Amino acid sequence: MKMLLDGQWVDRDKKIDVTDPFDNSLIDTVPAASSDDVETALSAAVKGFEITKRMTVYERAQILFKTAAIISDNLEEFATVIAQEGSKTITEARKEASRCVNTITASAEEAKRILGETIPFDSFPGGEKRRGYYYRFPIGVILAITPFNDPLNLVAHKLGPAIAAGNSVILKPATVTPLSAIKLVEAMVQAGLPPQAIQVITGYGHEIGDALVSDERVRMISFTGGVEAGKHIAKIAGIKKIGMELGSNSPVIVWKDADIDPAVESCVSGAFWAAGQNCIGVQRLLVHREIYDEFKKKFVAATKKYKIGDKLKDDTNMGPMITEAEAIRVEKWVEEAKHKGAKVLTGGKRQGALYEPTVLENVPKDITIHCEEVFGPTVNLYSIDDLDEAIEEANSLPYGLLTAIFTSNVDVAFKASYELDCGGVMINDSTDYRLDSMPFGGVKYSGLGREGLKFSLQEMTEPKVVCFYLPQI
Ligand code: NAP
């Protein structure tokens, strides 16, 4: 596939292979962008903004509604590309493609609700005879940098609201999964988006990233990815807006009065969705001692039923990790845990990029798989005795995206939801529940700002005050 620069789909002699992590087969190639391409993207995005800022709300919304219709009409094709280039099974990929339709549709709807307010200037002395209001204006060129794990919908979460608000965009998709992102942009152009409004630049972040991130023509960076890249970007960005959706190691509390079977089902799915490569994937399960043995037995039994392998088969539950190197990393973390006394209840074996769904207990609290984001198909079980202890444990690490609690006691749920330090608390769902239009984001190292269409639109626009001094009134 090609890059979209300055209104043209372009190729380059130097290419990057896009391969299927299941069997390493070549799916396609994308151009490896040069520093000249970076300059073209930046200068074309500035020109593109001159077009997008003059488009009416109706035009922007119609383009997004049409984009959603194109994706919906070609859902299986989008799902197949997601499943081929990434880790997801075809079942998981179909769900992502459907969510992308919702994300783009909600962006179109929210385009019509970018509102301002009148301002009561006369509410303090000195404001007499003044009337005014503020409205929200698009901020300009937005640099969208996206990760591999939801290669379509997380791109939609940036392009949808950016276009809805009237910004121009430079998109740099993850190098291992650029094809779903390019297909989304093709759909937008087919739906009527002026091609100058969006630049798609393919290339390695560590090669082309700094020139894009530090350029003053970029007015906002909307980044989703890991903490290390996030810290680097924040350091060199200069004075511009930054939105960051980063990682986590999500804790889930299972209280003694929880309905165990649905809790097990939800947590197993939440731990192993997308082979655990999920920013809200369940990593630390804090289970009340009174139900620990029953929960563990059922959780391990459900995990053992997982069928792993060929992503394109309907009955496969979990695919490979994104690369063999990533599976080797997880293997090392599990080996470290074993040496330090953790017990592997099931899983723990690797074949190429496939890593078995793995359940650990007795995990010491000073080792990597406890402290860091595993971003792989492993989950740690801990038993807890009281709620304060569980909340303290959940809050003990420098992440805070979503947390969850299973309980039938409203007082317990209420206390947990106020005291858990994070961007959202799910009650009787695992952390792996997200509605695309809810405010989504984290605290501490999990991020800055919020996504979720209406909330992204706030981040991607600025208020401008207009004040009339009317001495005659
Ligand atoms: P990553 O390695 O940080 O890469 C994310 C994106 O950043 C890729 O497009 C990457 O490009 C680019 N990048 C890397 N270094 C860069 C630099 N110096 N300058 C500019 N761009 C740079 O993350 P990943 O492995 O793709 O994704 C996994 C991470 O994303 C996890 O930590 C996960 O929790 C997080 N995530 C968070 C959310 C959320 O909403 N909070 C959602 C999904 C994922 P290349 O591909 O070319 O390296």
Side-chain angles (χ1 to χ4, degrees):
M1 292 178 101
K2 296 179 179 174
M3 300 188 283
L4 180 60
L5 292 180
D6 203 9
Q8 306 293 325
W9 290 101
V10 296
D11 208 349
R12 295 287 176 257
D13 292 339
K14 201 171 158 201
K15 297 190 198 310
I16 297 170
D17 289 345
V18 183
T19 54
D20 182 332
F22 178 61
D23 57 10
N24 291 320
S25 60
L26 181 70
I27 308 167
D28 206 336
T29 62
V30 290
S34 65
S35 51
D36 287 348
D37 293 322
V38 170
E39 178 49 37
T40 305
L42 287 162
S43 53
V46 174
K47 287 189 281 167
F49 182 51
E50 292 304 313
I51 301 172
T52 53
K53 73 180 184 190
R54 289 184 174 79
M55 289 166 68
T56 64
V57 169
Y58 178 75
E59 287 169 331
R60 279 147 32 198
Q62 283 305 106
I63 288 166
L64 292 169
F65 281 127
K66 282 183 196 157
T67 304
I70 293 169
I71 301 165
S72 184
D73 290 346
N74 298 280
L75 209 73
E76 195 61 19
E77 203 183 308
F78 276 89
T80 303
V81 174
I82 294 170
Q84 279 177 329
E85 68 174 345
S87 283
K88 285 188 173 168
T89 63
I90 188 70
T91 309
E92 292 170 332
R94 283 183 190 125
K95 188 160 178 201
E96 181 176 344
S98 301
R99 280 182 57 185
C100 178
V101 174
N102 299 343
T103 301
I104 298 292
T105 304
S107 301
E109 290 165 349
E110 290 297 339
K112 301 194 175 192
R113 294 195 277 264
I114 308 171
L115 305 176
E117 284 181 320
T118 55
I119 301 169
F121 279 99
D122 59 356
S123 54
F124 282 100
E128 298 82 2
K129 297 183 182 296
R130 286 173 176 84
R131 300 285 185 272
Y133 57 92
Y134 73 84
Y135 73 97
R136 303 197 71 88
F137 66 94
I139 57 181
V141 177
I142 294 183
L143 171 61
I145 304 178
T146 54
F148 73 83
N149 60 316
D150 289 306
L152 181 69
N153 194 36
L154 289 181
V155 178
H157 265 285
K158 302 197 185 302
L159 302 193
I163 299 300
N167 296 294
S168 70
V169 190
I170 301 174
L171 168 65
K172 198 223 88 60
T175 299
V176 280
T177 56
L179 306 179
S180 309
I182 296 173
K183 271 186 79 64
L184 172 59
V185 175
E186 282 177 351
M188 288 182 147
V189 173
Q190 194 187 333
L193 183 71
Q196 297 82 358
I198 186 161
Q199 321 295 317
V200 185
I201 185 156
T202 49
Y204 297 105
H206 61 267
E207 287 178 4
I208 60 170
D210 286 8
L212 289 165
V213 165
S214 59
D215 196 279
E216 291 187 354
R217 286 166 285 186
V218 171
R219 298 312 311 138
M220 177 181 179
I221 299 169
S222 177
F223 173 75
T224 301
V227 175
E228 285 317 307
K231 280 186 187 167
H232 175 76
I233 288 169
K235 209 178 273 177
I236 65 163
I239 298 176
K240 53 176 67 92
K241 270 186 133 174
I242 302 182
M244 296 232 162
E245 299 287 339
L246 307 176
S248 192
N249 55 4
S250 309
V252 176
I253 299 169
V254 188
W255 195 240
K256 57 189 169 190
D257 54 18
D259 195 349
I260 294 183
D261 290 337
V264 166
E265 190 185 334
S266 171
C267 290
V268 168
S269 163
F272 305 125
W273 185 265
Q277 298 158 113
N278 177 4
C279 58
I280 47 177
V282 176
Q283 182 168 341
R284 294 180 289 145
L285 265 167
L286 309 165
V287 184
H288 196 280
R289 194 173 301 280
E290 284 177 21
I291 55 161
Y292 183 84
D293 287 340
E294 184 185 351
F295 184 91
K296 174 171 97 173
K297 196 169 142 221
K298 290 181 168 171
F299 193 93
V300 169
T303 303
K304 282 187 169 157
K305 285 194 192 136
Y306 256 57
K307 196 166 168 191
I308 65 173
D310 188 345
K311 293 169 292 172
L312 293 178
K313 290 195 175 151
D314 276 328
D315 63 345
T316 301
N317 300 111
M318 197 184 92
M321 294 192 66
I322 192 67
T323 57
E324 184 170 1
E326 274 298 283
I328 291 170
R329 175 186 59 77
V330 171
E331 184 177 39
K332 282 189 182 142
W333 288 20
V334 172
E335 288 309 310
E336 181 202 6
K338 276 162 60 181
H339 284 125
K340 295 275 173 71
K343 187 171 169 198
V344 178
L345 299 174
T346 182
K349 291 195 198 67
R350 181 184 67 80
Q351 198 187 342
L354 285 167
Y355 195 80
E356 287 178 349
T358 298
V359 185
L360 302 172
E361 71 172 355
N362 298 333
V363 177
K365 304 231 169 113
D366 59 349
I367 64 169
T368 322
I369 210 159
H370 173 82
C371 301
E372 301 298 331
E373 177 185 39
V374 66
F375 220 60
T378 75
V379 61
N380 307 337
L381 297 186
Y382 310 84
S383 80
I384 41 116
D385 289 302
D386 84 22
L387 190 58
D388 287 321
E389 173 202 351
I391 292 170
E392 195 181 323
E393 185 55 50
N395 289 344
S396 64
L397 295 172
Y399 297 98
L401 194 50
L402 297 189
T403 60
I405 181 161
F406 287 86
T407 179
S408 52
N409 181 332
V410 74
D411 294 336
V412 168
F414 216 80
K415 178 180 164 79
S417 58
Y418 275 82
E419 294 186 8
L420 286 164
D421 192 10
C422 59
V425 183
M426 301 298 122
I427 319 289
N428 294 329
D429 262 315
S430 89
T431 45
D432 186 28
Y433 177 78
R434 177 183 183 183
L435 177 77
D436 287 289
S437 48
M438 77 186 200
F440 184 81
V443 300
K444 301 189 270 185
Y445 279 171
S446 290
L448 278 178
R450 293 291 179 269
E451 289 197 341
L453 300 335
K454 174 178 167 187
F455 305 90
S456 313
L457 273 167
Q458 290 290 307
E459 310 269 354
M460 292 179 173
T461 54
E462 295 279 16
K464 184 188 277 183
V465 173
V466 179
C467 176
F468 289 83
Y469 176 43
L470 302 161
Q472 305 308 324
I473 61 170

